Short mmCIF file of all heavy atoms in Angstrom, two decimals:
data_model
loop_
_atom_site.label_atom_id
_atom_site.label_comp_id
_atom_site.label_asym_id
_atom_site.label_seq_id
_atom_site.Cartn_x
_atom_site.Cartn_y
_atom_site.Cartn_z
N GLY E 77 0.90 -1.22 0.06
CA GLY E 77 -0.09 0.05 0.02
C GLY E 77 0.87 1.26 -0.04
O GLY E 77 0.40 2.34 0.39
N ALA E 78 2.09 1.17 -0.43
CA ALA E 78 2.92 2.23 -0.54
C ALA E 78 4.06 1.98 -1.47
O ALA E 78 4.40 0.91 -1.84
CB ALA E 78 3.59 2.53 0.95
N GLN E 79 4.79 3.06 -1.78
CA GLN E 79 5.90 2.98 -2.76
C GLN E 79 7.19 3.58 -2.24
O GLN E 79 8.12 3.82 -3.00
CB GLN E 79 5.57 3.33 -4.19
CG GLN E 79 4.95 4.81 -4.24
CD GLN E 79 4.36 5.02 -5.64
OE1 GLN E 79 4.03 4.10 -6.38
NE2 GLN E 79 4.29 6.29 -5.98
N ASN E 80 7.22 3.98 -0.94
CA ASN E 80 8.29 4.72 -0.42
C ASN E 80 9.32 3.65 0.19
O ASN E 80 9.83 3.81 1.30
CB ASN E 80 7.94 5.61 0.67
CG ASN E 80 7.13 5.03 1.80
OD1 ASN E 80 6.32 4.11 1.61
ND2 ASN E 80 7.31 5.48 3.01
N PHE E 81 9.78 2.74 -0.66
CA PHE E 81 10.83 1.76 -0.37
C PHE E 81 11.91 2.00 -1.40
O PHE E 81 11.68 2.32 -2.58
CB PHE E 81 10.38 0.32 -0.29
CG PHE E 81 9.63 -0.14 -1.50
CD1 PHE E 81 10.38 -0.63 -2.66
CD2 PHE E 81 8.19 -0.15 -1.55
CE1 PHE E 81 9.68 -1.08 -3.73
CE2 PHE E 81 7.59 -0.51 -2.71
CZ PHE E 81 8.30 -1.03 -3.83
N ALA E 82 13.19 1.70 -1.04
CA ALA E 82 14.25 1.82 -1.96
C ALA E 82 14.26 0.75 -2.95
O ALA E 82 13.86 -0.42 -2.58
CB ALA E 82 15.63 1.93 -1.24
N ARG E 83 14.64 1.05 -4.22
CA ARG E 83 14.75 -0.03 -5.22
C ARG E 83 16.07 0.15 -5.98
O ARG E 83 16.39 1.21 -6.34
CB ARG E 83 13.44 -0.17 -6.04
CG ARG E 83 13.20 0.91 -7.04
CD ARG E 83 12.57 2.15 -6.62
NE ARG E 83 11.54 2.02 -5.63
CZ ARG E 83 10.30 1.94 -5.91
NH1 ARG E 83 9.81 1.84 -7.03
NH2 ARG E 83 9.31 1.87 -4.94
N LEU E 84 16.59 -1.08 -6.29
CA LEU E 84 17.87 -0.99 -7.24
C LEU E 84 17.48 -1.84 -8.39
O LEU E 84 17.18 -3.05 -8.38
CB LEU E 84 18.98 -1.62 -6.43
CG LEU E 84 20.23 -1.84 -7.20
CD1 LEU E 84 20.88 -0.55 -7.71
CD2 LEU E 84 21.37 -2.57 -6.44
N ARG E 85 17.39 -1.14 -9.57
CA ARG E 85 17.18 -1.77 -10.85
C ARG E 85 18.45 -2.09 -11.58
O ARG E 85 19.35 -1.22 -11.63
CB ARG E 85 16.25 -0.92 -11.63
CG ARG E 85 14.87 -0.86 -10.97
CD ARG E 85 13.91 0.04 -11.82
NE ARG E 85 12.65 0.07 -11.37
CZ ARG E 85 11.51 0.36 -12.05
NH1 ARG E 85 11.69 0.81 -13.28
NH2 ARG E 85 10.30 0.33 -11.45
N LEU E 86 18.45 -3.29 -12.19
CA LEU E 86 19.64 -3.70 -12.97
C LEU E 86 19.28 -3.83 -14.42
O LEU E 86 18.17 -4.50 -14.74
CB LEU E 86 20.18 -4.98 -12.51
CG LEU E 86 20.94 -5.06 -11.18
CD1 LEU E 86 20.09 -4.83 -10.04
CD2 LEU E 86 21.72 -6.29 -11.15
N GLY E 87 19.99 -3.12 -15.33
CA GLY E 87 19.58 -3.11 -16.65
C GLY E 87 19.95 -4.36 -17.31
O GLY E 87 21.04 -4.87 -17.27
N ILE E 88 18.93 -4.97 -18.02
CA ILE E 88 19.12 -6.32 -18.67
C ILE E 88 19.03 -6.12 -20.23
O ILE E 88 19.04 -7.07 -20.94
CB ILE E 88 18.11 -7.33 -18.13
CG1 ILE E 88 16.64 -6.85 -18.46
CG2 ILE E 88 18.20 -7.61 -16.65
CD1 ILE E 88 15.55 -7.99 -18.32
N GLY E 89 19.07 -4.89 -20.67
CA GLY E 89 19.05 -4.55 -22.09
C GLY E 89 17.63 -4.38 -22.60
O GLY E 89 16.65 -4.81 -21.98
N GLU E 90 17.53 -3.76 -23.68
CA GLU E 90 16.23 -3.47 -24.23
C GLU E 90 15.56 -4.81 -24.86
O GLU E 90 16.39 -5.62 -25.36
CB GLU E 90 16.33 -2.37 -25.33
CG GLU E 90 16.77 -0.98 -24.75
CD GLU E 90 16.80 0.09 -25.77
OE1 GLU E 90 16.08 0.06 -26.71
OE2 GLU E 90 17.64 0.88 -25.61
N VAL E 91 14.33 -4.81 -24.82
CA VAL E 91 13.62 -6.03 -25.34
C VAL E 91 13.96 -6.29 -26.82
O VAL E 91 13.87 -5.43 -27.59
CB VAL E 91 12.07 -5.89 -25.30
CG1 VAL E 91 11.30 -7.00 -25.85
CG2 VAL E 91 11.66 -5.62 -23.73
N THR E 92 14.38 -7.48 -27.09
CA THR E 92 14.66 -7.94 -28.51
C THR E 92 13.80 -9.03 -28.92
O THR E 92 13.84 -9.57 -30.03
CB THR E 92 16.21 -8.37 -28.55
OG1 THR E 92 16.39 -9.49 -27.62
CG2 THR E 92 17.14 -7.28 -28.25
N ALA E 93 12.80 -9.50 -28.06
CA ALA E 93 11.87 -10.56 -28.46
C ALA E 93 10.57 -9.91 -28.82
O ALA E 93 10.36 -8.74 -28.71
CB ALA E 93 11.71 -11.51 -27.26
N ALA E 94 9.64 -10.76 -29.41
CA ALA E 94 8.39 -10.30 -29.96
C ALA E 94 7.54 -9.74 -28.71
O ALA E 94 6.80 -8.76 -28.88
CB ALA E 94 7.68 -11.40 -30.63
N ASN E 95 7.76 -10.30 -27.53
CA ASN E 95 7.01 -9.73 -26.31
C ASN E 95 7.99 -9.70 -25.22
O ASN E 95 8.99 -10.42 -25.07
CB ASN E 95 5.71 -10.47 -25.99
CG ASN E 95 6.04 -11.90 -25.58
OD1 ASN E 95 6.68 -12.10 -24.59
ND2 ASN E 95 5.36 -12.85 -26.17
N ASN E 96 7.58 -8.95 -24.20
CA ASN E 96 8.47 -8.66 -23.03
C ASN E 96 8.70 -9.93 -22.29
O ASN E 96 9.83 -10.20 -21.77
CB ASN E 96 7.77 -7.74 -22.11
CG ASN E 96 7.62 -6.31 -22.70
OD1 ASN E 96 8.20 -6.02 -23.77
ND2 ASN E 96 6.89 -5.48 -22.07
N ALA E 97 7.63 -10.85 -21.99
CA ALA E 97 7.78 -12.00 -21.28
C ALA E 97 8.93 -12.90 -21.91
O ALA E 97 9.62 -13.52 -21.00
CB ALA E 97 6.46 -12.66 -21.16
N ASP E 98 8.87 -13.12 -23.17
CA ASP E 98 9.85 -13.97 -23.78
C ASP E 98 11.31 -13.46 -23.51
O ASP E 98 12.25 -14.25 -23.24
CB ASP E 98 9.56 -14.06 -25.37
CG ASP E 98 8.40 -14.88 -25.66
OD1 ASP E 98 7.91 -15.68 -24.81
OD2 ASP E 98 7.91 -14.72 -26.80
N TYR E 99 11.40 -12.20 -23.59
CA TYR E 99 12.69 -11.50 -23.44
C TYR E 99 13.20 -11.71 -21.91
O TYR E 99 14.44 -12.12 -21.71
CB TYR E 99 12.72 -10.02 -23.79
CG TYR E 99 14.18 -9.52 -23.68
CD1 TYR E 99 15.16 -9.77 -24.51
CD2 TYR E 99 14.39 -8.54 -22.67
CE1 TYR E 99 16.41 -9.24 -24.43
CE2 TYR E 99 15.62 -7.96 -22.53
CZ TYR E 99 16.66 -8.34 -23.43
OH TYR E 99 17.90 -7.81 -23.32
N VAL E 100 12.40 -11.39 -20.95
CA VAL E 100 12.89 -11.38 -19.49
C VAL E 100 12.99 -12.77 -19.07
O VAL E 100 13.83 -13.01 -18.16
CB VAL E 100 11.88 -10.60 -18.61
CG1 VAL E 100 11.87 -9.17 -18.97
CG2 VAL E 100 10.55 -11.19 -18.52
#
């Protein structure tokens, strides 16, 4: 119920598959 937590995102590269699910 909140978004005030820290987050660290790691770049995995831009989507190269037909859809996001296949890529990730």
Side-chain angles (χ1 to χ4, degrees):
Q79 50 191 25
N80 57 322
F81 54 84
R83 74 276 320 270
L84 175 61
R85 293 180 171 199
L86 284 72
I88 59 170
E90 295 181 34
V91 175
T92 58
N95 71 55
N96 298 349
D98 289 341
Y99 182 71
V100 299

